[in-house]
Amino acid sequence: MASTSAEIIAFLLTISGWVLVSSTLPTDYWKVSTIDGTVITTATFWANLWKTCVTDSTGVSNCKDFPSMLALDGYIQACRGLMISAVCLGFFGAIFGLVGMKCTKVGGSDQTKAKIACLAGLIFILSGLCSMTSCSLYANRITSEFFDPSFVAQKYELGAALFIGWAGASLCIIGGIIFCFSIAENSNSARRGYAYNGATSVMSSRTKVHNSVPDKTPPKHFDKNAYV
């Protein structure tokens, strides 16, 4: 029962993390910068993995897509690949997780389901690591440019999408670790069940042997006076 509850908690954590990671990919505010006037914010610059935009004080946004994938900076290409890999891995991890959970009717025996659940945990851990690496790489580029005194272009700060990606990656990793522990719990329960069945078989065999031994007690003969 405890193993089933742990698997349900792990599945909820990993699915929540996968949803957060998936929502991070198209989110606008990966990095943001503002130009403040004396009274109001005159312009807000923001960018993600696909475009860069500016929003004026009236709320009108002008965006420009990145012209060519091959002309992009290396870190943006790496972040794109890692985030797409994280989303794909999370999708397959969710399928394996459903099959490997004890509360579902597919997947075979408990030992087979435990192995499938462990595989799902490993996939979710890889998904979380991909998302964590992507967000950390992007954040490292932002902070290095921000604190570089020789960098004269527009400086940005960390956007909300990075924090969402970090949170989703953490949930995927935690849930994946819980999934991996399910195979250890299943092996321990299998050993306990084997020891109990062995003891039962020994007792039953002794009973069978005892019952199969013929009774060698000589019959008692009574004379006619014994019935008086």
Side-chain angles (χ1 to χ4, degrees):
M1 185 66 182
S3 178
T4 303
S5 302
E7 288 180 350
I8 294 175
I9 294 174
F11 185 75
L12 293 177
L13 288 176
T14 51
I15 291 298
S16 301
W18 178 60
V19 170
L20 290 177
V21 171
S22 301
S23 64
T24 302
L25 189 58
T27 302
D28 293 331
Y29 296 97
W30 279 65
K31 59 181 180 180
V32 61
S33 179
T34 59
I35 299 177
D36 298 327
T38 56
V39 179
I40 60 174
T41 300
T42 58
T44 301
F45 297 88
W46 51 273
N48 58 12
L49 299 178
W50 314 101
K51 59 186 176 181
T52 179
C53 301
V54 58
T55 304
D56 58 18
S57 59
T58 61
V60 178
S61 298
N62 295 318
C63 296
K64 179 182 178 182
D65 294 332
F66 295 131
S68 174
M69 184 182 67
L70 299 178
L72 288 175
D73 293 334
Y75 78 98
I76 295 182
Q77 295 183 10
C79 291
R80 282 184 179 182
L82 289 171
M83 291 302 296
I84 293 174
S85 299
V87 174
C88 295
L89 287 172
F91 174 77
F92 290 108
I95 295 177
F96 284 114
L98 280 174
V99 175
M101 293 176 66
K102 292 183 179 179
C103 59
T104 57
K105 300 297 183 181
V106 293
S109 62
D110 289 342
Q111 293 182 355
T112 303
K113 291 172 74 69
K115 294 178 181 179
I116 297 175
C118 182
L119 177 62
L122 293 176
I123 293 175
F124 274 118
I125 291 174
L126 289 176
S127 176
L129 290 176
C130 288
S131 177
M132 187 77 70
T133 305
S134 176
C135 295
S136 300
L137 181 61
Y138 200 91
N140 179 69
R141 183 60 178 261
I142 295 173
T143 54
S144 62
E145 291 179 351
F146 186 86
F147 293 106
D148 187 5
S150 61
F151 186 76
V152 296
Q154 181 71 33
K155 293 186 178 182
Y156 291 88
E157 296 182 4
L158 303 180
L162 296 177
F163 298 99
I164 297 175
W166 281 324
S170 301
L171 291 178
C172 287
I173 293 174
I174 295 173
I177 292 173
I178 298 176
F179 263 131
C180 290
F181 280 129
S182 63
I183 190 172
E185 295 179 359
N186 185 77
S187 62
N188 292 334
S189 61
R191 290 176 182 176
R192 290 193 297 268
Y194 177 77
Y196 176 78
N197 293 332
T200 305
S201 62
V202 170
M203 293 298 295
S204 61
S205 62
R206 290 180 179 177
T207 304
K208 291 180 180 179
V209 171
H210 178 74
N211 293 333
S212 62
V213 174
D215 190 6
K216 297 183 179 179
T217 305
K220 297 180 180 180
H221 298 282
F222 301 96
D223 57 359
K224 60 183 181 178
N225 295 327
Y227 297 95
V228 178

